[in-house]
Amino acid sequence: MALGQSLQQKLLQKLSPQQIQLMKLLQVPTANLEERIKEEMEENPALELDDAKHSDEGDLKDEFADSENSLDDSDSGHDEYDTIDVSDYVHDGDDDIADYKTREDHYGEEENRQLPIKTETSFYDTLENQLGLLSLSEKEHRIAQHIIGSIDEDGYLRRDTPALVDDLAFRQNIETTTEEVEKIIQKIQQFDPPGVGARNLPECLLLQLKRQKQEGKEVDKAILAIEKYFDEFTKKHYEKIQRGLGLTEEELKDVMQQIVRLNPKPGGNVGAVNKAESYVVPDFFIMNHNGKLELTLNSRNAPELRISEGYKDMMKEYDRGSKKDKQQKEAVLFIKQKIDAAKWFIDAIRQRQHTLLDTMSAIMEHQEEFFLTGDETTLKPMILKDIAEKTNLDISTVSRVANSKFVQTEFGTYRLKFFFSESLSTDSGEEVSTREVKKILTDLIESESKKHPYSDEKLTELLQEKGYNIARRTVAKYREQLNIPVARLRKELV
């Protein structure tokens, strides 16, 4: 880790400040790009949104070289007022500066739509609303509010009762007892969703089962299984539960089904915090048009930016003036610097767009068969170096794109790093993607008998029979990467 950080620091030291800013801009997710642009506009009044939405692509390409020259000029001669040349900023004909913008024709018409904004009542609002239905004194209401505030997003109350009593005394100057607090906790545990306010998983499951019992369901045996044999249940030692409760095999299946249908995180599915990072906003869209893939960039990556009209007018005023004293020259130098900074930012946004498109185009070309079929077994081995060589980009740049960007296909939305994998040899010497092996491993486990799931040794044998040269420890590693438990924990009553 230290070595990697050291290499990264050395790399950054070789980059100019503008290149570093560009690398940072490349990592900004689509969902947060608008906020980043807003920050830049607040810092630089010479940059503004183009409400007219000009899209003269030719002017944009011609301006790219000019902007680089102006950026170089802005870094030197700041004290040489007599050398200021405003001709690059004032034109009698077309308004090149005003039309300096980012938009290009890489965006499908369907991407111009506004993405829906998800608004919901939060989990805590739901609990607060139910609190208003209770008949409580002012003191009890304040205690209940504190308890609700101590419940985490999964719906659990992680503070024990004595700690809550201390919190209330020291933070809110409320004198209470463990008995009074516990009584209010029990009332909150009757709120929806069932299981909320539990101190641990067994209590959470019991609260849900007892709610079902109140509704007339036969869950007494399931309650006993949790109360007396919770450890055995988590370790799937079903035989001990069956013997301890004197259940037939059919009764044991019914009890286990009642338990596994309960929600271990009652707060997890209620409400949502409306944050941009809570949503996956795809950066790319890939459509299959009669066997031909079409790639478009999310239109939110292409804001309509331009140089401020006001700043251009100020440059014209200076150009028309006959007397150019030091104060005026200082003012125009400031304006020039702001315009150059705005042009650089517009170029950086456009370069970000080109880098994203170049990277995704190379990935789409390499994994064409997957984007046509959606079959994970068709994914080819692909590493960062492969895409870096195709795009002439640095590997670190490709890595930044792959780790932070998403593509929406007709088969689902994927993070770009999903398409990268090492290779593995088959018996015939063919190089296949480890992603393909993982897909086959997943299919084998999904099709196994849940009463007698495959061990890692058996999975290794089955993969080798299919021609994949793979060791048992590698199978175990892939299984863990897929978040699939060992055979004993996959065992189910069928």
Side-chain angles (χ1 to χ4, degrees):
M1 180 65 71
L3 178 60
Q5 291 175 343
S6 176
L7 290 173
Q8 187 176 29
Q9 289 172 354
K10 289 180 180 179
L11 175 62
L12 291 176
Q13 288 172 359
K14 294 180 180 179
L15 299 176
S16 68
Q18 292 173 351
Q19 288 174 317
I20 293 174
Q21 288 299 318
L22 180 59
M23 296 298 279
K24 291 181 178 179
L25 192 61
L26 187 63
Q27 291 180 258
V28 176
T30 300
N32 301 109
L33 184 61
E34 292 176 4
E35 185 65 27
R36 173 67 183 89
I37 291 172
K38 182 180 177 182
E39 291 174 1
E40 189 71 22
M41 290 172 61
E42 289 174 351
E43 294 178 6
N44 186 358
L47 182 70
E48 66 180 17
L49 286 174
D50 185 2
D51 295 329
K53 295 188 177 180
H54 298 299
S55 59
D56 189 345
E57 190 174 339
D59 287 349
L60 178 66
K61 293 177 179 177
D62 294 339
E63 289 285 354
F64 184 59
D66 294 340
S67 70
E68 291 182 331
N69 294 333
S70 66
L71 280 171
D72 292 338
D73 294 342
S74 67
D75 290 335
S76 61
H78 288 178
D79 295 326
E80 302 295 331
Y81 301 118
D82 292 333
T83 64
I84 297 176
D85 182 4
V86 298
S87 61
D88 290 338
Y89 301 87
V90 180
H91 301 268
D92 295 330
D94 294 337
D95 185 2
D96 291 335
I97 293 179
D99 285 344
Y100 201 91
K101 52 201 165 294
T102 55
R103 189 70 172 192
E104 293 193 36
D105 189 19
H106 297 301
Y107 314 91
E109 292 182 2
E110 68 276 12
E111 310 327 329
N112 291 323
R113 66 187 184 279
Q114 289 288 331
L115 292 178
I117 302 299
K118 188 176 182 181
T119 56
E120 292 186 7
T121 302
S122 73
F123 170 56
Y124 296 99
D125 289 339
T126 301
L127 298 181
E128 287 279 0
N129 292 339
Q130 294 177 81
L131 180 59
L133 302 176
L134 296 181
S135 178
L136 300 173
S137 66
E138 182 180 348
K139 176 185 175 182
E140 290 172 332
H141 191 271
R142 291 177 63 189
I143 293 172
Q145 283 184 315
H146 183 80
I147 293 170
I148 287 175
S150 300
I151 294 175
D152 67 17
E153 293 181 354
D154 289 335
Y156 287 87
L157 180 59
R158 302 297 186 183
R159 300 283 285 171
D160 59 28
T161 306
L164 289 171
V165 172
D166 292 339
D167 291 343
L168 288 162
F170 290 112
R171 297 183 184 179
Q172 301 195 33
N173 198 28
I174 297 176
E175 294 294 333
T176 184
T177 63
T178 56
E179 290 77 12
E180 185 176 20
V181 171
E182 188 64 34
K183 188 181 297 184
I184 296 174
I185 290 174
Q186 291 175 5
K187 290 183 179 181
I188 292 173
Q189 288 178 341
Q190 300 306 310
F191 287 179
D192 287 326
V196 70
R199 270 64 67 95
N200 50 51
L201 179 57
E203 185 178 22
C204 178
L205 301 179
L206 285 171
L207 286 171
Q208 295 177 60
L209 288 170
K210 289 175 181 178
R211 181 79 64 90
Q212 292 181 13
K213 184 176 180 180
Q214 292 171 0
E215 296 169 355
K217 296 182 180 178
E218 294 290 335
V219 292
D220 288 338
K221 292 175 182 177
I223 291 174
L224 284 174
I226 295 297
E227 288 178 337
K228 295 185 176 182
Y229 299 100
F230 181 74
D231 286 343
E232 286 76 7
F233 169 74
T234 58
K235 295 175 182 177
K236 296 198 174 185
H237 292 161
Y238 299 127
E239 297 83 0
K240 292 183 180 179
I241 300 175
Q242 184 176 4
R243 288 197 304 268
L245 296 179
L247 303 174
T248 65
E249 189 166 336
E250 196 61 37
E251 288 173 332
L252 179 63
K253 291 179 184 178
D254 290 341
V255 167
M256 292 302 106
Q257 282 299 312
Q258 289 174 344
I259 295 174
V260 297
R261 282 197 292 263
L262 301 174
N263 186 358
K265 295 183 179 181
N269 297 324
V270 180
V273 180
N274 196 10
K275 296 181 180 177
E277 56 264 30
S278 300
Y279 303 90
V280 173
V281 178
D283 302 87
F284 312 94
F285 302 86
I286 293 181
M287 300 299 294
N288 181 355
H289 294 292
N290 298 320
K292 183 178 181 180
L293 296 175
E294 179 181 312
L295 170 66
T296 55
L297 190 63
N298 190 321
S299 61
R300 292 174 67 176
N301 283 294
E304 296 282 355
L305 297 174
R306 68 173 186 179
I307 307 299
S308 166
E309 287 275 2
Y311 268 63
K312 188 211 68 164
D313 291 341
M314 284 189 279
M315 294 297 286
K316 285 183 177 180
E317 278 294 320
Y318 175 84
D319 190 47
R320 285 195 293 263
S322 58
K323 182 180 179 182
K324 296 180 174 61
D325 56 25
K326 183 176 180 180
Q327 187 175 4
Q328 285 179 311
K329 291 174 181 177
E330 287 176 343
V332 80
L333 177 60
F334 173 81
I335 295 169
K336 177 180 181 293
Q337 290 171 339
K338 289 298 182 182
I339 290 177
D340 285 341
K343 292 174 77 174
W344 175 85
F345 187 78
I346 291 173
D347 287 334
I349 289 289
R350 190 185 57 220
Q351 190 168 340
R352 175 183 185 274
Q353 298 165 14
H354 286 315
T355 301
L356 293 180
L357 279 169
D358 288 348
T359 304
M360 189 66 242
S361 295
I363 293 173
M364 182 178 72
E365 180 184 343
H366 195 98
Q367 305 291 7
E368 181 179 13
E369 192 170 353
F370 169 82
F371 290 113
L372 289 171
T373 65
D375 184 357
E376 289 185 28
T377 62
T378 64
L379 285 170
K380 299 178 181 178
M382 184 178 77
I383 58 176
L384 295 172
K385 184 180 178 182
D386 295 329
I387 301 304
E389 290 176 350
K390 285 187 176 184
T391 58
N392 292 321
L393 294 170
D394 189 86
I395 288 180
S396 63
T397 301
V398 177
S399 176
R400 283 177 169 83
V401 176
N403 285 325
S404 61
K405 302 297 180 286
F406 292 83
V407 58
Q408 181 176 309
T409 73
E410 58 186 292
F411 313 109
T413 301
Y414 301 87
R415 191 186 292 272
L416 264 58
K417 69 177 182 181
F418 168 83
F419 302 105
F420 291 84
S421 64
E422 300 289 342
S423 63
L424 188 76
S425 297
T426 64
D427 285 343
S428 61
E430 180 186 2
E431 294 288 313
V432 296
S433 167
T434 54
R435 179 75 65 182
E436 175 181 335
V437 180
K438 289 180 181 179
K439 178 64 171 64
I440 294 173
L441 178 62
T442 301
D443 291 343
L444 287 172
I445 292 175
E446 287 179 351
S447 63
E448 70 186 0
S449 166
K450 297 308 175 186
K451 196 166 185 178
H452 302 288
Y454 295 135
S455 64
D456 288 346
E457 289 82 1
K458 182 61 177 177
L459 289 169
T460 303
E461 291 178 12
L462 293 173
L463 284 167
Q464 289 176 347
E465 288 175 5
K466 292 180 178 290
Y468 297 100
N469 294 320
I470 191 167
R472 190 205 62 79
R473 62 178 180 276
T474 306
V475 169
K477 181 180 75 172
Y478 289 172
R479 177 180 51 72
E480 290 170 359
Q481 290 175 350
L482 292 167
N483 293 319
I484 298 175
V486 296
R488 178 173 58 80
L489 295 181
R490 299 200 305 272
K491 185 177 181 181
E492 294 178 8
L493 295 171
V494 182

